[in-house]
Amino acid sequence: MAAPTPIDPHVDAHATTEAAGHGAESGGLPQFETQHWFGQIAYLLVLFFVLYLLISKVFAPRIRRVMDERADTISAAVTTARQVQAEAAAQAEAAKAEVAAARSTARATATAAATRIADEAAARKAADEAAVSARIAEAEAAIGKTRDAAMANVGAIAGDATAAIVERLTGKAPTAAEVAAAVKGAA
């Protein structure tokens, strides 16, 4: 076995890394050399057709199917939303109609109640007025009887008072005719 050669740090590193046959005179990168173009173009065409077949037969149908499913889902959701919106609008209109009907029923009930209460109040007022009128008539009749009775007694009381006053002032009792004439003349 041969002994390894010592590495000299002063040796040019570029000189040892050059491949055989590819020295500084070769002209640069191998893909830009015209002798390799035919193979590169052939590989490019093969890769292009393989990628074209993969995209057109595998990936594009999958993407198209996903896009179609998404479009179907979106259109179904939009259709459902429009149906729900139409149902909500119909329910809102029905609710408005119910509220309007309830309001008109409430107004009619309130009007009927107010009319009934007014009629009942008028009937009670008429009954109360009739009762009060009857009481007033009774009171006036009682007052009339009491007044007539008092008036009937007034003449006798006036005569007695006149006789008592005359007797006290004069000392002698007047006659009944004198008392009657005096009371009658004062009235």
Side-chain angles (χ1 to χ4, degrees), residues 111-138:
T111 303
T115 304
R116 182 178 46 86
I117 290 171
D119 291 344
E120 289 175 1
R124 267 186 294 192
K125 182 179 177 184
D128 290 344
E129 286 179 0
V132 168
S133 295
R135 285 186 184 167
I136 290 172
E138 288 174 10

Side-chain angles (χ1 to χ4, degrees), residues 41-183:
I41 290 174
Y43 276 113
L44 177 69
L45 290 176
V46 169
L47 286 176
F48 176 78
F49 284 118
V50 168
L51 285 175
Y52 176 77
L53 288 175
L54 280 174
I55 288 173
S56 67
K57 301 296 181 187
V58 177
F59 300 124
R62 287 182 185 174
I63 291 172
R64 189 174 304 119
R65 186 173 50 245
V66 168
M67 296 288 278
D68 290 343
E69 287 176 5
R70 185 177 289 168
D72 291 343
T73 303
I74 289 171
S75 66
V78 167
T79 303
T80 304
R82 286 186 180 146
Q83 289 174 349
V84 167
Q85 184 180 15
E87 289 174 6
Q91 289 176 354
E93 289 299 321
K96 283 181 184 178
E98 287 177 9
V99 167
R103 283 184 180 160
S104 65
T105 302
R107 285 187 190 122
T109 302
T111 303
T115 304
R116 182 178 46 86
I117 290 171
D119 291 344
E120 289 175 1
R124 267 186 294 192
K125 182 179 177 184
D128 290 344
E129 286 179 0
V132 168
S133 295
R135 285 186 184 167
I136 290 172
E138 288 174 10
E140 285 178 353
I143 291 170
K145 285 180 186 178
T146 306
R147 183 188 62 219
D148 290 343
M151 291 307 275
N153 291 330
V154 167
I157 293 170
D160 290 342
T162 303
I165 293 171
V166 168
E167 185 179 339
R168 187 146 194 187
L169 290 174
T170 62
K172 80 179 197 189
T175 64
E178 292 175 340
V179 172
V183 170

